[in-house]
Amino acid sequence: GKNSPCWCGSGKKYKHCHEEWDNTINVLKLQGKIVPSHNLIKSEEDIKWIKKAAKINNAVLDLVGEKICAGMTTEDKLVYDYTTSHGGIPACLGYEGFPKSVCTSINNEICHGIPSEKVVLKDGDIINVDCTTIVHKHFADASRMFCIGHVSEEAKRLVEVTKECLEIGKEAVRPWGYIGDIGAAIQEHAHKNGYSVVVDFCGHGVGNAFHEDPYVHHVGIRNTGMVIAPGMVFTIEPMINQGTRDLYIDKDNGWTSYTKDGKLSAQWENTILVTEKGIEVLAW
Ligand code: MF3
Ligand code: CO
Ligand code: CO
């Protein structure tokens, strides 16, 4: 009833909390739109824990940014030690058998590169470091690119345009807009710059699990896909290639994906919360 506690767990009366939200959703549903179910809407308690996970995740990526340089290996000790000593769990470690605490993807590697003490960073490399932290069963997921030493103009431009794709993707997020708006905006910007967009991997709901609905494609059509509603938390993580979008997966480790043509790939990822007014970036 209207005076009962809201389903979101806020403790507020339904009529003062999500009644209007439900009314909006029900109208959209009658119009045939794909709408998020209540389990995709984070409670204040969920958001509090996701923010704690994000705080560690942001700090660990800052730390990586301070330390990363030519001559260093990609071993994951820095991420593991910082995360665990600050009360977090590295979500990648053991996730579906992934062997390390973070993904490190260099040059023609698109994503899911496996850290190793045998892989040494060299002058001119571009690398994506993708980190996810768990605190109190809540997840925050983000990745950044780093340029090692003197990087070619071509590589620098790919890294910058990919960052712009993420920013443009975030700007396309509107409460009561559509998930398809995000991919449409990203795709336009990438193609305008002569790049391709990877379609085999996408962003995702995140927070109560590593990967939840909705799946956030980085190509798309405006006004299609799931309705974006306040309370949703998801990632945007475009993978942008210099050449073909086609890829192959490492036969030996079963994880690392590479560009089919050997050209460069870049990626940036944020975790965002949709609010009534717009978005709040939680992990970056
Ligand atoms: N962090 C990646 C993402 O953005 C997922 C990595 S899964 C792993 O969704 F197992 F490779 F770590
Ligand atoms: Co990630
Ligand atoms: Co992600």
Side-chain angles (χ1 to χ4, degrees):
K2 288 176 183 287
N3 290 310
S4 316
C6 186
W7 51 259
C8 78
S10 65
K12 288 183 211 156
K13 287 183 178 169
Y14 178 59
K15 65 181 178 188
H16 296 311
C17 198
H18 276 90
E19 186 181 11
E20 214 178 294
W21 189 100
D22 275 334
N23 290 341
T24 307
I25 285 284
N26 286 334
V27 169
L28 290 164
K29 206 170 173 177
L30 284 170
Q31 292 170 354
K33 312 293 189 188
I34 305 159
V35 296
S37 55
H38 287 173
N39 65 350
L40 300 187
I41 304 309
K42 267 59 186 183
S43 67
E44 283 168 30
E45 172 89 359
D46 288 332
I47 292 164
K48 182 185 89 182
W49 291 113
I50 296 167
K51 285 183 174 175
K52 286 188 196 289
K55 190 178 175 191
I56 297 172
N57 208 68
N58 296 336
V60 81
L61 283 171
D62 287 347
L63 179 65
V64 168
E66 284 165 26
K67 302 279 179 197
I68 204 162
C69 62
M72 183 177 158
T73 79
T74 58
E75 70 168 317
D76 64 339
K77 186 172 159 47
L78 192 65
V79 170
Y80 180 84
D81 288 349
Y82 184 93
T83 305
T84 54
S85 68
H86 287 76
I89 299 168
C92 292
L93 189 59
Y95 175 76
E96 291 185 7
F98 191 81
K100 298 285 175 173
S101 295
V102 57
C103 297
T104 50
S105 307
I106 303 168
N107 298 335
N108 61 318
E109 295 173 353
I110 296 170
C111 63
H112 304 160
I114 301 178
S116 163
E117 62 283 349
K118 290 189 190 115
V119 175
V120 180
L121 293 174
K122 58 182 196 306
D123 192 71
D125 282 344
I126 59 168
I127 178 173
N128 174 272
V129 179
D130 189 345
C131 207
T132 307
T133 300
I134 311 172
V135 172
H136 200 272
K137 295 183 179 158
H138 287 72
F139 295 69
D141 184 8
S143 79
R144 301 181 195 166
M145 293 300 296
F146 299 102
C147 293
I148 306 302
H150 308 88
V151 161
S152 72
E153 287 306 315
E154 298 286 274
K156 232 180 269 174
R157 191 174 79 88
L158 176 68
V159 169
E160 276 160 22
V161 170
T162 305
K163 180 76 195 300
E164 290 163 10
C165 285
L166 170 60
E167 297 305 320
I168 285 165
K170 286 187 288 182
E171 282 163 23
V173 177
R174 283 190 187 77
W176 310 116
Y178 298 87
I179 289 289
D181 303 346
I182 302 167
I186 290 172
Q187 171 181 14
E188 276 171 20
H189 192 66
H191 291 170
K192 200 173 72 194
N193 282 280
Y195 296 137
S196 66
V197 180
V198 172
V199 295
D200 300 66
F201 300 103
C202 50
H204 50 90
V206 65
N208 297 327
F210 202 158
H211 298 104
E212 307 171 354
D213 275 344
Y215 284 85
V216 181
H217 295 278
H218 302 112
V219 298
I221 300 169
R222 287 191 178 79
N223 300 312
T224 67
M226 190 182 279
V227 168
I228 297 173
M232 291 169 79
V233 174
F234 56 81
T235 74
I236 303 176
E237 48 180 299
M239 282 146 269
I240 306 297
N241 293 355
Q242 263 185 334
T244 177
R245 70 184 190 182
D246 294 344
L247 58 80
Y248 67 96
I249 309 269
D250 193 300
K251 271 205 220 71
D252 299 322
N253 71 32
W255 277 102
T256 310
S257 76
Y258 306 85
T259 58
K260 199 158 205 171
D261 58 9
K263 293 188 179 179
L264 298 175
S265 182
Q267 178 181 28
W268 292 82
E269 175 177 27
N270 285 176
T271 293
I272 66 164
L273 164 68
V274 181
T275 66
E276 257 136 58
K277 293 202 187 96
I279 64 164
E280 192 183 333
V281 182
L282 303 183
W284 57 83

